[in-house]
Amino acid sequence: MPSYTAPTKDLQFVLHDVLKVSEQSTPGYNELDRDFTNAILEEAGKLNSEVVAPLNVVGDQEGCRLENGMVYTPKGFKDAFEQVKEGGWTGLDMPEEFGGQGMPAVIGTAVGELFSAANQAFTMYQGLTHGAASAILAHGTDAQKATYLPNMVSCEWTGTMNLTEPHCGTDLGLMRTKAEPQGDGTYKVSGQKIFISAGEHDMADNIIHLVLAKIPGGPEGIKGVSLFIVPKFIVNEDGSLGERNGVSVGNIEHKMGIHGNSTCVMNYDEATGYLLGTEHKGMRAMFTMMNEARLGVGMQGLAQAEAAYQNAVIYAKDRLQGRDVTGAKNPDGPADPLIVHPDIRRALMDQKSFIEGGRAFLLWGAQMIDEAHRAEDTDADGLVSLLTPIIKGFLTDEGYDMTVQAQQVYGGHGYIEEWGMSQFTRDARIAMIYEGANGVQALDLVGRKLGADGGKHVMAFFDLVKGFCKEHGDDEAMADFIAPLKTASKHLQSAGMYFMQNGMKNPNHALAGSYDFMHLFGHVCLGLMWARMARASLDALAAGTSDAAFHETKLTTARYYMARRLPASGMHLARIESGADTVMGLDAEAF
Amino acid sequence: MPSYTAPTKDLQFVLHDVLKVSEQSTPGYNELDRDFTNAILEEAGKLNSEVVAPLNVVGDQEGCRLENGMVYTPKGFKDAFEQVKEGGWTGLDMPEEFGGQGMPAVIGTAVGELFSAANQAFTMYQGLTHGAASAILAHGTDAQKATYLPNMVSCEWTGTMNLTEPHCGTDLGLMRTKAEPQGDGTYKVSGQKIFISAGEHDMADNIIHLVLAKIPGGPEGIKGVSLFIVPKFIVNEDGSLGERNGVSVGNIEHKMGIHGNSTCVMNYDEATGYLLGTEHKGMRAMFTMMNEARLGVGMQGLAQAEAAYQNAVIYAKDRLQGRDVTGAKNPDGPADPLIVHPDIRRALMDQKSFIEGGRAFLLWGAQMIDEAHRAEDTDADGLVSLLTPIIKGFLTDEGYDMTVQAQQVYGGHGYIEEWGMSQFTRDARIAMIYEGANGVQALDLVGRKLGADGGKHVMAFFDLVKGFCKEHGDDEAMADFIAPLKTASKHLQSAGMYFMQNGMKNPNHALAGSYDFMHLFGHVCLGLMWARMARASLDALAAGTSDAAFHETKLTTARYYMARRLPASGMHLARIESGADTVMGLDAEAF
């Protein structure tokens, strides 16, 4: 069975040596000294290694069970969930006013990685609750907040997001679920929603569904969509649970992975709903959840890659097969360990350099969210909004590929379920799909975010890269990092230029390159993070760090990323600059 | 449930317009006119669409069942297997002398794709039999051939390959299975083999296991391995079945995919074995099977991509979601079909251009096998031997990626097992692993094949590309294809040059780039095939073909490959030329 150990040291490096969190002026950051964050990460790591991770394979093999309208989670989930709640982990970055610990998103994200890596299916129960609570926090009335948030922050009650219907996912304007006003401020919600993660289960007293629906007579399409709070049990005025609402599970889905999470078909039959936010502005309210959710999904890609990588490393060191061509490394044994072979190294370095770069990227994103929310920094808000589809799309695509590479290290054993490597790929696969399939992320990036506010945020990104290159361009020790970053960044600019010059004439010239642009942008972001990490490690070495080996490893891994991963930028640019002609050249009948 | 239709038209195009099989002088090729091959493909297509493909999901969901030492295949497999046998498909390219139809490998391969695409798990039962029969054909005594081949060609008896043991897969020198000579020409074989596809099942009267084992006292390591025929039931002199041999199923594996194939742990307990070929030369005999098997596995990658693609196209045309940004294409409907969106097109074109290019590459490989075997053409033998690891490694890596892309077109529905798209990826995944994991293919390519016969075969490949470019370089209609092919081919040559110049000093400089080299080489091969296909389509159009739309589609798809896929060559070269320093730079402890 696979094991999991929290990468505390690497998280600490990113938080303190790279992002220098405790030196930032963002409210709440001054508390985040090394000892404090270390204590949190150690504690969360222990819980995840010992309690949450061992249930990962159990959840996969047992799955969820629907019986008489009730869903039963896999053995052990309920007890583990109690421990998570008792530790206060579910409200880590939620306001103290509602029982949370009020920590910044950057800590919530660092801890979130551990939970996601240990057991994605299990962690989704709290993840969805966090998303739903965030939407109530942002758009709810004071009464709604008081009614729902304390129990959601503690995860006594869990939450869900209900968007998709059988005939529509991305195009929510086609939605059929209706919400009829009852004249008393409540609505009767009727319709069917599918793919509802944590839709029903046995780990919470109540489930607070957030449901998108149309109020009859409202505007057509997406502009007529509103968001409703539909609790499984109506909450009485005194806070006690009242009658069962008209919401029930139609079925649980048989999925490729995340078997431990109950993905439900939910039927709403005149269920009592309460408007959240403004009539017909449901999409705006939902997007509050979705941006946060998209960062969380990007984290899942990274987290599954980390978990798979850790086990691939163990296997590569343990499994004896073949000899090092440059001379036996284990001459007294029957063969050398796999890790001596260059192609196994290549696979492990691909994984390691992606994971550590992605981790820094993600935490930088979380830091900008804190700047946006806590310091009302609109520039940070704009930049993280630009980067969100990249965090989601790039980290989940690459994260998935890395789980496949980790599985490959095991050879035939990687294909046998008992070893657990197949599960990492099957679980990671969903992250490329939900919260907006990655093609939709690319569309959001190129069609919406790139030109937002007159292109201000992408210009800010380029300025940031240029500034960094300029600042460190004369430092010879940085030459291995600055030159490749400049090249890749130039490729990204050329791609943006191509879109500007050709997308006006024909938007398909931009959209046909959107996916490659998302990946090109992702590589530049990770290139930037690696350059920043290299800088941090060079500084630490110059300052006489007591852990030189760690920083030397960082530098080698940074060089690997620059030499072996960043060259993808030229390929993506070539694809983008070939335009839409070959992409759109065929009639639909020709396929 | 997914559907499958044989791509007869495209196979006919490759066989006749590109490879021009009936004009070749290879023995047996003169019979292969258009009508003849069309009749075969139509008939095989019908059987696969109507009988074999509908069992694909059944096999996945039901799996195989072990009860009291017997393995039961999924419902319907046995009847379908009878129909396959009755149609004579199992011996299509086997010698007439043993009941086969004596057709060339190029036909066996074209038909093989249909079976693999329709149901990979099911088709493996005959695939393994074909491999084992080929080894007996090549290395067996006349008596062995007479005893086993007629029933194996007809698949009344099936076959297996037994290589892997729990502690060794790639490094077979570590093998522990023993074969004790009994003095009467027979051996007693004892040991455990794992991952034995079709190891035990209920569809054949006898199972002929080919087992690698060591004769005590023989040379150490891989040089002391011999190959044995170990039948499940001993065959009496009169051909009737005698006593049950000492071979039994220990377990059936729980795998990520190919659930319909019984992958067994096989225990040999003093089982009677008969030496196949020469003592201690078992690896050589096994390689006869393995080269054929590797082409067959490359075909599986392609075939799963084709099956997944066909369903992605159906879904993309059917599912209404969003609007074409350049103007509604389905103005009377609630939304446009997915296929109007540029990023969906990109995904479908990636798939289409890979599949059609890969199909041509594979059939070209089969044509060279025929030239090698039927015309004793040693140049063809050398070239196909060089290309075999690329056919296996590149086609299965890319084929897998394409199933993932096809699954992605379905959005959330791609993750739900009922739609069948997850199965394509789970089934395709094994092809990257078995018959030599793809990293081992890359090692074989760079460490062995590239320098074989003084590098003669790789030079022949470059001459072939150069010759083609020279021949068609002045034709303006070919400019879109020749220029990118030249560039990519130059990248491949530079990579080879890098290996020559640096691999001498340190073999890791070559091996660290082996995987990228395999992919770079694969892209050049597909680039060559696309240039040849473009030539064929231009010729057909010039000759006033009645199916201009087909050939125009080919030209657009060829342009897509050149513009959007071949640019990967530069990235692979950059990675290769970065050498081993960053790949091998870390101590094992640093991971």
Side-chain angles (χ1 to χ4, degrees):
Chain A
M1 195 190 279
S3 65
Y4 175 69
T5 309
T8 306
K9 197 169 174 179
D10 201 55
L11 283 161
Q12 285 281 88
F13 169 73
V14 176
L15 291 174
H16 299 287
D17 295 278
V18 184
L19 301 178
K20 302 183 191 294
V21 287
S22 63
E23 298 171 24
Q24 306 302 316
S25 58
T26 311
Y29 269 50
N30 58 334
E31 288 181 275
L32 305 179
D33 63 44
R34 276 181 200 267
D35 288 347
F36 181 69
T37 61
N38 193 60
I40 293 174
L41 293 171
E42 287 286 343
E43 199 59 36
K46 197 162 170 295
L47 177 67
N48 277 297
S49 297
E50 295 174 7
V51 177
V52 180
L55 294 174
N56 197 38
V57 170
V58 175
D60 186 57
Q61 290 178 354
E62 201 177 311
C64 294
R65 186 165 45 85
L66 173 65
E67 249 178 58
N68 300 324
M70 265 299 296
V71 172
Y72 298 90
T73 53
K75 203 175 159 191
F77 269 41
K78 208 169 168 173
D79 284 350
F81 201 53
E82 287 305 316
Q83 291 188 55
V84 173
K85 291 194 278 186
E86 276 163 27
W89 297 108
T90 63
L92 193 67
D93 58 359
M94 281 294 181
E96 286 167 288
E97 160 184 21
F98 299 111
Q101 304 199 38
M103 286 192 203
V106 78
I107 295 301
T109 303
V111 169
E113 185 201 317
L114 312 188
F115 277 96
S116 253
N119 195 330
Q120 179 173 326
F122 172 82
T123 299
M124 287 170 67
Y125 293 96
Q126 65 186 94
L128 270 297
T129 309
H130 193 282
S134 298
I136 295 175
L137 198 59
H139 302 282
T141 62
D142 287 346
Q144 287 174 335
K145 290 182 196 176
T147 303
Y148 299 106
L149 286 182
N151 281 316
M152 290 178 80
V153 166
S154 67
C155 270
E156 291 305 316
W157 301 349
T158 61
T160 70
M161 293 167 65
N162 291 243
L163 291 80
T164 306
E165 300 184 5
H167 62 288
C168 71
T170 302
D171 190 353
L172 291 170
L174 304 176
M175 183 173 294
R176 291 178 192 150
T177 298
K178 278 182 313 190
E180 298 269 4
Q182 299 300 299
D184 61 353
T186 69
Y187 295 76
K188 290 286 182 211
V189 177
S190 298
Q192 188 177 64
K193 296 286 183 178
I194 62 170
F195 306 157
I196 307 309
S197 300
E200 175 62 62
H201 60 85
D202 56 355
M203 302 199 297
D205 297 333
N206 201 4
I207 300 178
I208 311 305
H209 302 288
L210 296 197
V211 184
L212 283 179
K214 285 184 172 176
I215 300 168
E220 285 291 298
I222 200 73
K223 289 178 180 148
V225 168
S226 307
L227 184 59
F228 297 89
I229 299 173
V230 184
K232 176 178 168 185
F233 291 100
I234 302 289
V235 182
N236 297 323
E237 291 211 2
D238 65 357
S240 64
L241 295 187
E243 60 174 326
R244 185 75 152 81
N245 206 349
V247 48
S248 59
V249 191
N251 211 343
I252 49 178
E253 306 280 10
H254 303 104
K255 308 182 299 287
M256 184 178 182
I258 52 166
H259 296 161
N261 197 274
S262 62
T263 308
C264 299
V265 174
M266 300 301 294
N267 293 321
Y268 293 88
D269 184 15
E270 302 205 337
T272 299
Y274 310 95
L275 184 69
L276 179 59
T278 314
E279 263 191 12
H280 313 315
K281 303 286 184 202
M283 287 310 293
R284 193 194 293 171
M286 201 48 130
F287 265 104
T288 313
M289 290 164 69
M290 271 169 45
N291 274 329
E292 180 192 316
R294 285 174 177 180
L295 284 176
V297 173
M299 177 172 75
Q300 291 176 346
L302 172 71
Q304 290 304 300
E306 165 75 28
Y309 164 75
Q310 286 189 12
N311 288 282
V313 167
I314 293 169
Y315 192 79
K317 289 181 182 177
D318 190 53
R319 174 86 170 173
L320 304 180
Q321 209 78 181
R323 288 290 183 194
D324 187 330
V325 289
T326 64
K329 289 289 179 295
N330 177 33
D332 299 333
D336 288 340
L338 285 181
I339 202 166
V340 305
H341 301 299
D343 191 60
I344 295 287
R345 287 288 184 126
R346 172 200 57 78
L348 294 177
M349 289 301 291
D350 272 1
Q351 293 165 59
K352 183 175 170 64
S353 65
F354 162 73
I355 291 162
E356 295 176 11
R359 177 175 291 134
F361 183 33
L362 182 74
L363 290 175
W364 178 43
Q367 187 185 32
M368 285 188 280
I369 285 180
D370 285 327
E371 287 161 7
H373 293 178
R374 291 173 172 247
E376 294 179 7
D377 179 338
T378 55
D379 289 343
D381 191 49
L383 186 52
V384 74
S385 176
L386 170 73
L387 299 180
T388 293
I390 303 164
I391 291 175
K392 197 280 184 182
F394 182 72
L395 293 190
T396 59
D397 275 359
E398 291 271 311
Y400 176 73
D401 284 350
M402 297 308 157
T403 64
V404 173
Q405 290 214 32
Q407 182 188 24
Q408 189 74 10
V409 170
Y410 279 67
H413 299 280
Y415 200 65
I416 306 299
E417 291 295 353
E418 277 77 356
W419 289 83
M421 300 306 286
S422 156
Q423 188 189 350
F424 293 129
T425 75
R426 290 185 291 99
D427 286 0
R429 182 67 184 88
I430 189 58
M432 297 157 71
I433 299 173
Y434 61 18
E435 302 305 337
N438 286 356
V440 175
Q441 302 298 326
L443 178 65
D444 178 47
L445 174 63
V446 170
R448 196 180 298 151
K449 300 292 176 63
L450 208 52
D453 301 322
K456 181 178 156 190
H457 308 299
V458 73
M459 294 314 299
F461 178 82
F462 285 127
D463 286 346
L464 207 146
V465 174
K466 269 181 224 161
F468 185 89
C469 290
K470 201 170 173 192
E471 188 180 346
H472 305 288
D474 295 333
D475 184 346
E476 227 172 272
M478 285 293 286
D480 284 355
F481 315 109
I482 297 297
L485 176 59
K486 269 187 181 166
T487 303
S489 172
K490 208 173 286 175
H491 288 158
L492 182 62
Q493 287 184 64
S494 300
M497 197 65 79
Y498 177 85
F499 289 160
M500 275 179 41
Q501 288 168 345
N502 298 276
M504 300 286 198
K505 281 176 284 180
N506 178 357
N508 284 345
H509 281 308
L511 299 181
S514 59
Y515 213 86
D516 282 288
F517 189 78
M518 179 172 77
H519 275 259
L520 169 47
F521 210 149
H523 278 295
V524 174
C525 289
L526 260 60
L528 173 64
M529 298 322 294
W530 272 116
R532 289 178 64 179
M533 290 194 281
R535 175 76 273 164
S537 280
L538 287 168
D539 290 347
L541 288 165
T545 170
S546 61
D547 196 355
F550 176 86
H551 294 287
E552 293 290 359
T553 295
K554 272 286 167 213
L555 290 171
T556 299
T557 312
R559 285 193 185 93
Y560 183 90
Y561 198 87
M562 298 296 171
R564 292 244 165 193
R565 304 288 298 158
L566 262 193
S569 65
M571 176 187 71
H572 290 301
L573 177 60
R575 288 182 183 166
I576 289 164
E577 290 185 336
S578 76
D581 293 346
T582 63
V583 178
M584 305 303 290
L586 297 184
D587 289 338
E589 294 70 40
F591 286 92
Chain B
M1 195 192 279
S3 65
Y4 174 69
T5 309
T8 306
K9 197 170 174 178
D10 201 54
L11 283 161
Q12 285 281 87
F13 169 73
V14 176
L15 291 174
H16 299 289
D17 295 281
V18 183
L19 302 178
K20 300 183 194 295
V21 287
S22 62
E23 298 171 24
Q24 306 302 316
S25 59
T26 312
Y29 270 51
N30 58 334
E31 289 180 274
L32 306 178
D33 63 43
R34 275 181 202 265
D35 287 348
F36 182 69
T37 59
N38 194 60
I40 293 173
L41 294 170
E42 287 285 342
E43 198 61 33
K46 199 162 169 291
L47 177 67
N48 277 297
S49 297
E50 294 174 6
V51 177
V52 180
L55 294 173
N56 197 39
V57 169
V58 175
D60 185 58
Q61 290 179 354
E62 201 178 310
C64 293
R65 186 165 46 86
L66 174 65
E67 248 178 59
N68 301 322
M70 264 299 296
V71 173
Y72 298 89
T73 52
K75 203 175 160 193
F77 270 41
K78 208 169 168 173
D79 285 349
F81 201 52
E82 286 305 317
Q83 291 187 55
V84 173
K85 291 195 276 186
E86 276 163 27
W89 296 107
T90 63
L92 193 67
D93 58 0
M94 281 293 181
E96 286 168 287
E97 155 183 25
F98 299 111
Q101 304 199 37
M103 287 193 205
V106 78
I107 295 301
T109 304
V111 169
E113 185 202 317
L114 311 189
F115 277 97
S116 254
N119 194 329
Q120 180 173 326
F122 172 82
T123 298
M124 287 170 67
Y125 292 96
Q126 63 186 95
L128 270 298
T129 310
H130 192 284
S134 298
I136 295 175
L137 197 59
H139 302 283
T141 62
D142 286 345
Q144 286 173 334
K145 289 182 197 176
T147 302
Y148 299 106
L149 287 183
N151 280 316
M152 291 178 79
V153 166
S154 67
C155 271
E156 290 305 315
W157 301 349
T158 64
T160 71
M161 293 168 64
N162 290 245
L163 290 79
T164 306
E165 300 184 5
H167 62 289
C168 70
T170 302
D171 190 354
L172 291 169
L174 304 176
M175 184 173 295
R176 290 177 194 151
T177 299
K178 279 183 312 192
E180 298 269 5
Q182 299 300 299
D184 61 352
T186 70
Y187 295 77
K188 290 284 182 210
V189 178
S190 298
Q192 188 178 65
K193 296 286 182 176
I194 62 170
F195 305 156
I196 308 308
S197 301
E200 175 62 64
H201 60 86
D202 56 355
M203 300 200 298
D205 297 333
N206 201 4
I207 300 178
I208 311 304
H209 302 288
L210 296 196
V211 184
L212 283 179
K214 284 184 173 175
I215 300 168
E220 286 289 301
I222 198 73
K223 289 179 179 145
V225 169
S226 307
L227 185 59
F228 298 89
I229 298 173
V230 183
K232 174 177 170 185
F233 291 100
I234 303 289
V235 182
N236 296 324
E237 291 212 0
D238 64 357
S240 65
L241 296 186
E243 60 173 326
R244 184 75 152 79
N245 206 349
V247 47
S248 59
V249 192
N251 212 343
I252 49 178
E253 306 281 8
H254 303 103
K255 308 183 300 289
M256 185 179 182
I258 52 166
H259 297 161
N261 198 274
S262 62
T263 308
C264 299
V265 175
M266 300 301 297
N267 294 321
Y268 293 88
D269 185 13
E270 301 206 336
T272 299
Y274 310 95
L275 184 69
L276 179 60
T278 314
E279 265 193 10
H280 312 317
K281 303 287 184 200
M283 288 311 292
R284 193 194 292 172
M286 203 46 131
F287 264 105
T288 313
M289 292 165 68
M290 272 170 43
N291 274 329
E292 180 192 317
R294 284 174 178 180
L295 283 177
V297 174
M299 178 171 74
Q300 290 176 347
L302 172 71
Q304 289 303 301
E306 165 73 29
Y309 164 74
Q310 286 190 12
N311 289 283
V313 167
I314 293 169
Y315 192 79
K317 289 180 182 178
D318 191 53
R319 175 86 169 173
L320 304 180
Q321 209 80 180
R323 288 291 183 193
D324 186 331
V325 288
T326 64
K329 288 288 180 293
N330 177 33
D332 300 333
D336 288 340
L338 285 181
I339 202 165
V340 306
H341 300 300
D343 191 60
I344 296 288
R345 287 286 184 126
R346 172 201 57 77
L348 294 177
M349 289 301 292
D350 272 0
Q351 295 165 59
K352 183 176 171 62
S353 65
F354 161 72
I355 290 162
E356 295 177 11
R359 177 176 291 134
F361 182 34
L362 182 74
L363 290 174
W364 179 42
Q367 186 185 33
M368 286 188 279
I369 285 182
D370 285 327
E371 287 161 7
H373 293 180
R374 293 176 169 243
E376 293 181 7
D377 179 339
T378 55
D379 289 343
D381 190 50
L383 186 51
V384 73
S385 176
L386 170 73
L387 299 181
T388 294
I390 304 163
I391 291 174
K392 198 281 184 182
F394 182 71
L395 293 190
T396 60
D397 275 359
E398 291 271 311
Y400 176 72
D401 284 350
M402 296 308 155
T403 63
V404 173
Q405 289 215 32
Q407 183 188 23
Q408 189 74 9
V409 170
Y410 279 67
H413 299 280
Y415 200 65
I416 306 299
E417 293 293 356
E418 277 78 357
W419 288 83
M421 299 306 287
S422 157
Q423 188 190 349
F424 293 129
T425 75
R426 290 185 290 98
D427 286 0
R429 182 68 185 86
I430 188 58
M432 297 158 69
I433 299 173
Y434 62 17
E435 302 305 336
N438 286 356
V440 175
Q441 303 298 326
L443 179 64
D444 178 46
L445 174 64
V446 170
R448 196 179 299 151
K449 300 292 177 66
L450 209 52
D453 301 321
K456 182 179 155 192
H457 309 298
V458 72
M459 295 315 298
F461 178 82
F462 285 127
D463 286 346
L464 207 146
V465 175
K466 269 182 221 159
F468 185 89
C469 291
K470 203 170 170 192
E471 190 181 344
H472 305 288
D474 296 333
D475 184 348
E476 227 170 89
M478 287 292 289
D480 284 356
F481 315 109
I482 297 296
L485 176 59
K486 269 187 181 167
T487 303
S489 173
K490 209 174 286 175
H491 289 158
L492 183 62
Q493 287 183 64
S494 300
M497 197 67 78
Y498 178 85
F499 289 161
M500 275 179 42
Q501 288 169 347
N502 298 277
M504 301 286 200
K505 282 176 282 182
N506 178 357
N508 285 346
H509 281 308
L511 298 181
S514 59
Y515 212 86
D516 282 287
F517 189 78
M518 179 172 77
H519 276 259
L520 170 48
F521 210 149
H523 277 296
V524 174
C525 288
L526 260 59
L528 174 64
M529 299 321 293
W530 271 115
R532 289 178 63 178
M533 290 194 281
R535 176 75 273 165
S537 281
L538 288 168
D539 290 347
L541 288 165
T545 171
S546 61
D547 196 357
F550 176 86
H551 295 287
E552 293 290 359
T553 295
K554 272 285 166 212
L555 291 171
T556 299
T557 313
R559 284 192 185 92
Y560 183 90
Y561 198 87
M562 298 296 170
R564 290 245 165 192
R565 304 289 297 158
L566 262 192
S569 65
M571 174 187 72
H572 291 300
L573 177 61
R575 287 181 185 168
I576 289 165
E577 290 185 338
S578 77
D581 294 346
T582 62
V583 179
M584 305 302 291
L586 298 184
D587 289 338
E589 295 70 40
F591 285 92

